[in-house]
């Protein structure tokens, strides 16, 4: 059975996967069609924080699926309120709006910010502005790629909505300069994940929060990737002592099993939505709500956030000990780590070699290799990965005559 050929023939060519066919997963390990095992250092772009096929997620999913799957928001359910209550209490927000994917949560945030600007802040109709950062990643819809500074994400998809301003990431003074009376919100990732695991200077977010408050601008943190413990706390924003006005969550919220996303906000922002303003057929369905509530409870019960913190520090210190002329930088926080490879060697080549040793990861922006395993990863896995990274780098150096 040639799975790769089938995907290539019948699928759109919008991805370039490594030539490995994954058929099963359990915890940190996945298996290919030939039974070869791999340690998953990608966890589906941080969506599998609980590990693959977590037994409690499976149980919650099955139990709910046997009762009621989808009913739509035309009716109340016994699941949605419980999930939203848990999320609001954990993340300290008044209200939450459930969607399915990260991009939809970001779209929701953008709509909320614009409507807040008109209805609450008093911005003149159709004049609201959103400020975002260069090198951002917030998703792939037309409105969102309109915010992107990455030429490939935009090429061929214009025209884009108006009302966006881009400023350099990590520079709070640029934010203050860019704000006008029409600014609705500043949308920012606490750490830029897809942009290459870019960690801003300490205190950056706090300074941005103060500037936003001073100018009556909403601070919206896109924590689709950094949230839910990935960087060592429930929200990465909290590490800078910041409670944003709104937050987007996704990925790991679905327990590695289901697409679930949320936009959380304070009341003043969320209450701009009235029935019919916004929605999604699948958003907040009982199956998603049951899975996501269990996903949050597991993060608490298994202390996965503390684990991300502790093992993240361990992983980072170990990666820093790898000696290679190919490694330019090692950075990140919690279990969202990146190793920057010298431009002379495509990072994809390193990823392919690592896969031969049973380690799965992927390059981002061609030069950065991400190490973002499920939060259930163990020290022994980390030791193995670092040992093999050292071996692969030495091998490549020798091939390139760098040694
Ligand atoms: N925001 C951030 C910060 C992300 O990292 C991503 C996905 N990589 C998204 C939004 C989009 O999420 P999705 O792919 O689920 O639409």
């Amino acid at each position: 059975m040639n799975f790769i050929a089938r995907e290539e023939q019948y699928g759109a060519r919008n991805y370039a996967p490594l030539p490995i066919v994954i058929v099963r997963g359990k915890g940190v390990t996945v298996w290919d069609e030939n039974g070869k095992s791999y340690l998953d250092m990608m966890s589906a772009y941080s969506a599998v924080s609980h590990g693959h096929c977590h037994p409690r997620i499976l149980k919650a999913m099955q139990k709910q699926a046997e009762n009621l799957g989808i009913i739509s928001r035309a009716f109340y359910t016994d699941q949605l309120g419980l999930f939203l209550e848990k999320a609001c209490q954990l993340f300290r927000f008044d209200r939450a709006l459930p969607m399915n994917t990260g991009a939809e949560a970001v779209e929701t945030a953008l709509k909320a910010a614009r409507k807040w600007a008109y209805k609450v802040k008093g911005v003149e109709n159709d004049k609201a502005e959103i400020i975002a950062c260069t090198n951002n990643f917030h998703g792939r819809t037309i409105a969102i790629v309109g915010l992107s500074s990455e030429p490939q994400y935009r090429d061929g998809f214009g025209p884009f909505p108006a009302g966006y301003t881009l400023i350099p990431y990590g520079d709070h003074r640029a934010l203050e300069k860019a704000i006008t009376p029409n600014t609705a919100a500043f949308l920012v990732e606490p750490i830029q994940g897809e942009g290459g695991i870019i960690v801003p200077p300490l205190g950056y977010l706090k300074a941005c929060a103060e500037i936003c408050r001073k100018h009556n601008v909403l601070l919206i943190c896109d924590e689709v990737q950094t949230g839910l413990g990935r960087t060592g706390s429930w929200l990465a924003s909290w590490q800078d002592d910041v409670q944003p006005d709104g937050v987007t969550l996704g990925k790991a919220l679905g327990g590695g099993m289901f697409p679930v996303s949320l936009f959380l906000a304070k009341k003043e922002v969320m209450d701009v939505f009235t029935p019919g303003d916004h929605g999604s057929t699948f958003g907040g369905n009982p199956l998603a709500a049951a899975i996501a509530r269990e996903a949050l409870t597991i993060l608490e019960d298994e202390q996965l956030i503390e684990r991300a913190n502790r093992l993240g520090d361990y992983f980072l210190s170990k990666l820093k000990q790898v000696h290679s002329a190919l490694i330019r930088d090692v950075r990140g926080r919690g279990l969202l780590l990146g190793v920057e490879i010298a431009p002379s060697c495509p990072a994809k080549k390193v990823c392919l070699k690592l896969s031969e040793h049973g380690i799965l990861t992927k390059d981002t922006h061609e030069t950065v290799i991400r190490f973002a395993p499920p939060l259930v990863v163990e020290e022994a896995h980390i030791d193995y990965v670092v040992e093999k990274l050292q071996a692969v780098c030495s091998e490549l150096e020798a091939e390139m005559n760098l040694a």
Side-chain angles (χ1 to χ4, degrees):
M1 184 82 69
N2 196 332
F3 299 108
I4 295 181
R6 274 202 174 76
E7 265 192 47
E8 293 293 326
Q9 183 175 347
Y10 293 107
R13 304 287 174 85
N14 57 331
Y15 277 90
L18 297 187
I20 301 166
V21 179
I22 303 298
V23 296
R24 193 158 69 85
K26 180 96 193 116
V28 184
T29 308
V30 294
W31 286 266
D32 73 9
E33 56 183 330
N34 305 311
K36 178 175 168 158
S37 70
Y38 301 83
L39 290 175
D40 183 0
M41 289 293 122
M42 259 270 298
S43 35
Y45 300 93
S46 306
V48 188
S49 289
H50 301 73
H52 292 277
C53 299
H54 193 294
R56 280 180 58 183
I57 298 283
L58 285 177
K59 211 165 151 198
M61 189 170 185
Q62 179 153 11
K63 185 168 163 236
Q64 184 56 41
E66 283 171 0
N67 252 353
L68 180 67
I70 315 289
I71 185 78
S72 90
R73 296 291 304 280
F75 308 98
Y76 291 93
T77 67
D78 60 348
Q79 294 300 315
L80 182 57
L82 290 172
F83 163 46
L84 300 180
E85 176 186 47
K86 174 123 198 125
C88 285
Q89 286 173 354
L90 268 175
F91 297 103
R92 304 173 195 156
F93 284 99
D94 301 321
R95 298 193 191 278
L97 196 159
M99 298 295 278
N100 311 284
T101 63
E104 286 174 309
V106 173
E107 286 272 352
T108 305
L110 294 174
K111 286 174 80 172
R114 281 183 166 184
K115 196 150 190 182
W116 172 85
Y118 301 126
K119 306 290 174 193
V120 180
K121 183 168 172 171
V123 171
E124 193 187 325
N125 218 12
D126 287 346
K127 290 274 175 8
E129 291 162 9
I130 306 278
I131 302 176
C133 291
T134 51
N135 198 44
N136 71 64
F137 189 92
H138 298 294
R140 302 285 201 164
T141 64
I142 282 179
I144 294 172
V145 296
L147 271 172
S148 178
S149 60
E150 179 68 33
Q152 195 203 344
Y153 297 165
R154 302 167 59 88
D155 181 37
F157 302 123
F160 302 110
Y164 297 152
T165 307
L166 284 186
I167 58 168
Y169 186 60
D171 177 358
H172 66 272
R173 286 187 194 88
L175 173 63
E176 185 137 39
K177 268 193 221 142
I179 288 174
T180 74
N182 292 335
T183 306
F186 176 47
L187 173 68
V188 65
E189 298 158 89
I191 293 175
Q192 288 186 329
E194 302 310 313
I197 325 286
I198 309 294
V199 185
L202 204 73
Y204 168 63
L205 209 59
K206 191 161 180 62
C208 291
E210 280 160 14
I211 292 165
C212 285
R213 186 150 309 125
K214 186 170 132 197
H215 295 278
N216 195 23
V217 165
L218 300 176
L219 174 67
I220 296 177
C221 289
D222 182 352
E223 297 237 22
V224 166
Q225 180 136 194
T226 53
L228 297 159
R230 171 62 49 192
T231 64
S233 58
W234 282 97
L235 294 178
S237 315
W238 290 357
Q239 291 165 355
D240 239 357
D241 204 16
V242 166
Q243 179 71 20
D245 301 303
V247 151
T248 52
L249 291 176
K251 297 197 191 264
L253 192 55
M257 210 40 99
F258 212 70
V260 189
S261 68
L262 271 185
F263 171 57
L264 295 126
K266 54 185 190 181
K267 209 161 172 289
E268 171 195 308
V269 177
M270 200 66 96
D271 285 354
V272 300
F273 286 126
T274 62
D277 278 357
H278 188 55
S280 153
T281 302
F282 293 106
N285 70 72
L287 188 54
I291 291 169
R293 182 159 61 98
E294 186 69 352
L296 292 172
T297 310
I298 294 169
L299 289 175
E300 280 178 313
D301 290 351
E302 296 189 1
Q303 295 166 1
L304 292 181
I305 285 138
E306 292 80 358
R307 199 181 172 83
N309 216 343
R310 184 166 49 81
L311 289 180
D313 284 351
Y314 179 73
F315 205 163
L316 185 66
S317 70
K318 282 264 171 177
L319 285 171
K320 284 187 168 160
Q321 287 165 23
V322 175
H323 289 293
S324 171
L326 287 181
I327 295 183
R328 282 288 164 87
D329 191 22
V330 177
R331 56 181 181 252
R333 203 189 291 154
L335 284 168
L336 184 60
L337 303 172
V339 171
E340 188 165 337
I341 303 292
S344 53
C345 175
K348 188 168 183 181
K349 216 165 161 178
V350 181
C351 294
L352 276 168
K353 287 243 183 223
L354 284 172
S355 73
E356 288 166 17
H357 291 287
I359 295 163
L360 284 192
T361 188
K362 191 121 203 276
D363 58 294
T364 169
H365 277 230
E366 279 145 36
T367 53
V368 180
I369 301 174
R370 103 174 59 207
F371 291 96
L375 308 186
V376 294
V377 71
E378 290 168 20
E379 280 183 18
H381 300 136
I382 293 172
D383 292 343
Y384 179 80
V385 168
V386 173
E387 181 194 317
K388 293 302 169 197
L389 178 66
Q390 176 70 71
V392 162
C393 284
S394 303
E395 209 179 303
L396 284 168
E397 272 179 44
E399 273 176 30
M400 297 166 68
N401 292 322
L402 284 171

